Amino acid sequence: MAGLVFAICAPRSEGAQMPGIAHAEAVVAGDDHLPAGQVRSLTLVARPGDYVRGTLAVGAGRFQLDLVAADGRPIRRLADDVEGRTGVHFIAPNGPARLVLTALEQGTAQLTMEASAAPPEAVSPPPHLISPVMVALAGSVEAGSGTEAFWAEMARRGTPLVEPGGEGQVLLTFLARGARTNVRLVGAPSGDHEWLSRLAGSDVWFKSFTVPPDTRLSYRIAPDVPAPSGSDRERRVALLATAAADPMNHHPWPADAPDAFNQDSTLELPAAPVQPGLENLSAPRGTFIHFRLPSARLGNTRGITLYMPAGFDPVDRRNQLLILFDAKAYLTKVPTPRILDTLIADGRLPPTLAVFVSEIDAESRARELPGNPAFAEFMATELLPAIQARSHAVIPAARTILAGSSYGGLAATAVALTHPELFGIVVAMSGSFWWRPERIADLVARAPHRDLRFHMSAGLFEGAHQGTEGILETTRRLRECLRAKGYAVTGRDYAGGHDYWVWRGALADALLSVANAPKID
């Protein structure tokens, strides 16, 4: 790709042509690469409220994309630290705005976007009033009272609303204020993106759920979600245009996010389990080696981060190796280095060398992680030798852990079953075992029986949905399949969903479990 190109498409709409982004294509940099730290900006010409969507394709380097007001005030981080391709979705703001592309590392990129009218559809399911507070509010509104006192109390207490639910359960009510047409809850305890209901005659949107008292979850609120024409998937992706942290929740995560669109809101009920490794801030810090690893097997290059704990001795016979997929998330959302620093310093884990394997983009992740034989060969013949060369440590399979969540949990399982002579321990958190379960079952059946150990966790909110087995059921079934084959299997189910807020504790629990598990004779 020569230079940096903004390819801006005309608006797509049904019927009359409407103003969108007023450029067909503009080459704004003539150099082969944009130097690190340099920016290029383009004026956004779209009607307020238009649904803007597109793709940022990075040919080389790493890039960041921001939406900023005309006066430079940041509005929204649209894409962060991107290599490969990523989708971009947002609602055009009311005032003048610009798209600002920043090279985090020298490289090339192409931004293609379109704006169209995608008015939100009016959706408000019949209210289900099971919360005593909401029942009282409904009566008050029906009698002619306003909602100001209610909202002031919610702002003071913080949302979601927590009430006793009977039989030891807890009643959670998620709330949103003032949406015009609809509100969706992303990360609902049902495991789906739920529609909130509008309380008649008010500005209150709500939905209640009964959950266990040890629930831990993160969520976002999406008001006035656009309804673009196209597939159900495109309509679900439109959630990204409006989903943001709950403004009345007192526990946003991460606290230092650039804006509410890049934040989640969190909830931890009093009985939620302790998440080990997050308590000792004074533990000695490990060090890092970052490198790029080309792969002949996969035909691409990715970033690898190697963590070495404080005082690491490559010949210490206690050493273990942890390899984690989805590096960006497990270096930020799940603060794995901090967790390892603490657990190692406290003597709860042996010295642990950790390797974080980055995904290039969503497309390559979906191609590589779900049971891909070429990816297994990359792990065995390219990644492992690169780790050994840089760490000067050769760690046996019995002390080598493959770990991941979602597709990463599936990949950890498939790679270890393919190469049990190299990878002896699997940690699968909410593994995507719904993906071609017959293939995983076949790997279990034909893999040579070695001293493999498994720890598999899932969320109680990841159960069957619309008649299809969920992650909870498929994880439980695979545990039993492995036990029947004679493998050592531990596991735990959490009162949570498909959620990094849960996985940061699940990872620590798993590492402690496999480190303390007896070896198979």
Side-chain angles (χ1 to χ4, degrees):
M1 187 184 320
L4 177 64
V5 179
F6 283 95
I8 308 299
C9 299
R12 183 176 67 185
S13 62
E14 293 75 27
Q17 193 80 349
M18 293 181 298
I21 300 178
H23 295 81
E25 183 171 295
V27 178
V28 297
D31 299 330
D32 287 340
H33 289 77
L34 190 67
Q38 293 293 304
V39 302
R40 293 292 182 268
S41 68
L42 186 71
T43 299
L44 177 70
V45 183
R47 298 192 315 179
D50 272 359
Y51 176 43
V52 184
R53 54 185 167 181
T55 301
L56 174 61
V58 175
R62 296 163 30 245
F63 283 80
Q64 172 182 299
L65 180 66
D66 291 280
L67 180 67
V68 303
D71 61 2
R73 175 180 51 85
I75 298 174
R76 179 170 183 172
R77 173 71 44 82
L78 298 173
D80 190 21
D81 197 6
V82 175
E83 54 179 324
R85 297 168 60 88
T86 190
V88 176
H89 309 80
F90 63 95
I91 302 298
N94 290 328
R98 293 179 292 119
L99 295 166
V100 177
L101 190 65
T102 304
L104 303 178
E105 182 180 278
Q106 178 176 290
T108 61
Q110 180 170 324
L111 176 64
T112 305
M113 309 200 78
E114 62 181 17
S116 62
E121 60 180 319
V123 179
S124 178
H128 186 41
L129 288 165
I130 58 175
S131 157
V133 170
M134 297 306 297
V135 170
L137 177 63
S140 175
V141 169
E142 189 174 2
S145 297
T147 61
E148 289 300 326
F150 169 78
W151 285 121
E153 177 64 10
M154 291 303 101
R156 183 189 69 81
R157 292 170 56 168
T159 51
L161 174 63
V162 180
E163 301 171 273
E167 298 183 358
Q169 299 292 91
V170 174
L171 192 61
L172 295 183
T173 301
F174 296 85
L175 297 158
R177 185 178 192 181
R180 301 187 313 276
T181 57
N182 67 61
V183 180
R184 288 193 93 171
L185 173 62
V186 180
S190 65
D192 198 7
H193 304 318
E194 295 281 357
W195 296 102
L196 272 60
S197 301
R198 186 171 187 170
L199 187 64
S202 79
D203 60 352
V204 178
W205 295 78
F206 74 100
K207 190 171 181 68
S208 300
F209 302 85
T210 300
V211 301
D214 55 347
T215 291
R216 172 181 278 116
L217 57 80
S218 69
Y219 70 96
R220 287 185 289 165
I221 300 290
D224 298 317
V225 178
S229 59
S231 66
D232 288 343
R233 181 184 181 280
E234 288 174 322
R235 293 167 71 88
R236 289 174 75 89
V237 166
L239 279 173
L240 300 176
T242 64
D246 180 350
M248 287 179 293
N249 180 283
H250 293 176
H251 304 284
W253 170 63
D256 60 352
D259 51 69
F261 295 102
N262 287 279
Q263 237 172 7
D264 290 275
S265 298
T266 66
L267 170 76
E268 295 180 333
L269 293 181
V274 171
Q275 295 188 314
L278 297 174
E279 62 273 36
N280 183 359
L281 297 179
S282 63
R285 299 297 180 93
T287 57
F288 298 91
I289 297 174
H290 305 280
F291 63 95
R292 305 284 295 175
L293 181 62
S295 169
R297 295 277 185 179
L298 299 173
N300 55 32
T301 299
R302 74 191 63 239
I304 304 294
T305 298
L306 176 61
Y307 158 93
M308 291 179 288
F312 180 70
D313 178 359
V315 298
D316 189 332
R317 293 175 60 84
R318 298 173 300 156
N319 289 343
Q320 66 178 13
L321 172 62
L322 167 66
I323 303 176
L324 266 164
F325 303 114
D326 296 318
K328 292 176 185 176
Y330 280 93
L331 287 166
T332 55
K333 290 184 176 182
V334 178
T336 310
R338 173 183 160 191
I339 292 170
L340 293 175
D341 289 338
T342 297
L343 297 181
I344 294 167
D346 291 350
R348 288 182 279 175
L349 280 185
T352 303
L353 185 71
V355 179
F356 300 85
V357 182
S358 72
E359 67 281 17
I360 296 171
D361 54 24
E363 292 178 6
S364 63
R365 181 178 184 272
R367 182 175 62 251
E368 293 176 350
L369 295 188
N372 185 334
F375 189 75
E377 295 311 306
F378 157 74
M379 295 288 295
T381 65
E382 296 177 323
L383 177 66
L384 204 54
I387 296 167
Q388 293 168 346
R390 288 166 174 82
S391 67
H392 307 294
V394 178
I395 298 172
R399 302 182 70 83
T400 297
I401 305 165
L402 285 182
S405 52
S406 195
Y407 272 162
L410 173 62
T413 305
V415 171
L417 287 169
T418 303
H419 285 288
E421 76 282 3
L422 299 175
F423 310 104
I425 305 173
V426 172
V427 169
M429 298 167 286
S430 299
S432 298
F433 299 122
W434 52 265
W435 181 91
R436 294 181 62 187
E438 72 285 352
R439 178 172 175 79
I440 296 299
D442 181 59
L443 276 174
V444 172
R446 61 184 171 83
H449 193 284
R450 300 284 184 86
D451 289 352
L452 280 174
R453 287 185 278 150
F454 296 85
H455 184 92
M456 295 182 166
S457 60
L460 297 179
F461 304 157
E462 298 183 282
H465 186 66
Q466 296 182 346
T468 303
E469 273 195 326
I471 284 173
L472 179 62
E473 292 83 9
T474 52
T475 296
R476 287 173 170 175
R477 187 149 47 83
L478 183 56
R479 284 182 196 144
E480 294 309 310
C481 179
L482 289 164
R483 287 183 181 125
K485 187 73 185 290
Y487 290 108
V489 183
T490 55
R492 184 171 179 177
D493 298 333
Y494 296 86
H498 207 69
D499 191 342
Y500 284 106
W501 190 244
V502 175
W503 296 334
R504 66 182 199 156
L507 175 63
D509 289 340
L511 294 178
L512 292 171
S513 175
V514 299
N516 296 323
K519 297 180 69 173
I520 306 171
D521 294 327

